[in-house]
Amino acid sequence: MRINKFLSSLGIASRRAIDRYIEEGRIKVNGVIASTGIDVTEEDEIYIDNKKIETNRIEEKVYFMLNKPLEVLSASSDDRGRKTVVDLIKTDKRIFPIGRLD
C-alpha cells in the first residue's frame, strides 16, 4: 500500500500531510529517507521525526448517527468559524462526516 494511504489509515495524518512530511525528509522507511509513492507493509519500520510508528495497530472504527441541528454544517471544519457536526460529538476518535442523508 502507498505510504501516504498506509499512514493515513493508522490515523497519523492526512495523505496530503504525509506527502509534505516526505518532501521535508521527515519520514524514514527501514532506515532510508522515504520518497513519495513508495509501497510499505506492516513489516516495514517507519519513523516520523525519528519516532517509530507502530505499524501493526488497527484504528477502531466507530459510527455516530446525528440529527443535525439547523445552522450546523455537515463538515469537519469551517474556515469562517461556523459550528460543524464534529463540534457536537465529544470523542477521542477521528470523525469523518459523510454528509446529509436526506
Side-chain angles (χ1 to χ4, degrees):
M1 181 182 302
R2 299 231 183 229
I3 190 168
N4 61 355
K5 183 175 182 180
F6 182 76
L7 292 176
S8 176
S9 72
L10 294 177
I12 304 298
S14 70
R15 290 185 191 189
R16 288 183 184 166
I18 297 297
D19 288 338
R20 268 195 316 275
Y21 296 168
I22 292 170
E23 290 171 8
E24 294 167 357
R26 296 171 56 188
I27 299 180
K28 290 184 181 178
V29 177
N30 300 325
V32 178
I33 294 177
S35 60
T36 305
I38 66 168
D39 288 331
V40 294
T41 67
E42 292 178 351
E43 283 74 43
D44 289 310
E45 288 188 357
I46 302 173
Y47 290 83
I48 299 178
D49 296 331
N50 295 319
K51 294 179 185 173
K52 186 172 183 179
I53 302 302
E54 189 65 44
T55 58
N56 60 358
R57 68 182 176 164
I58 297 173
E59 186 177 33
E60 177 185 9
K61 291 184 174 46
V62 178
Y63 297 88
F64 297 95
M65 187 166 48
L66 174 70
N67 228 353
K68 183 185 77 64
L70 291 173
E71 299 190 17
V72 174
L73 300 179
S74 294
S76 56
S77 64
D78 180 53
D79 60 351
R80 295 192 285 176
R82 295 174 292 184
K83 187 171 272 213
T84 68
V85 292
V86 173
D87 298 328
L88 301 177
I89 299 173
K90 304 299 179 213
T91 182
D92 60 347
K93 306 290 182 195
R94 291 190 313 156
I95 298 177
F96 300 95
I98 59 170
R100 297 172 22 181
L101 301 176
D102 52 340

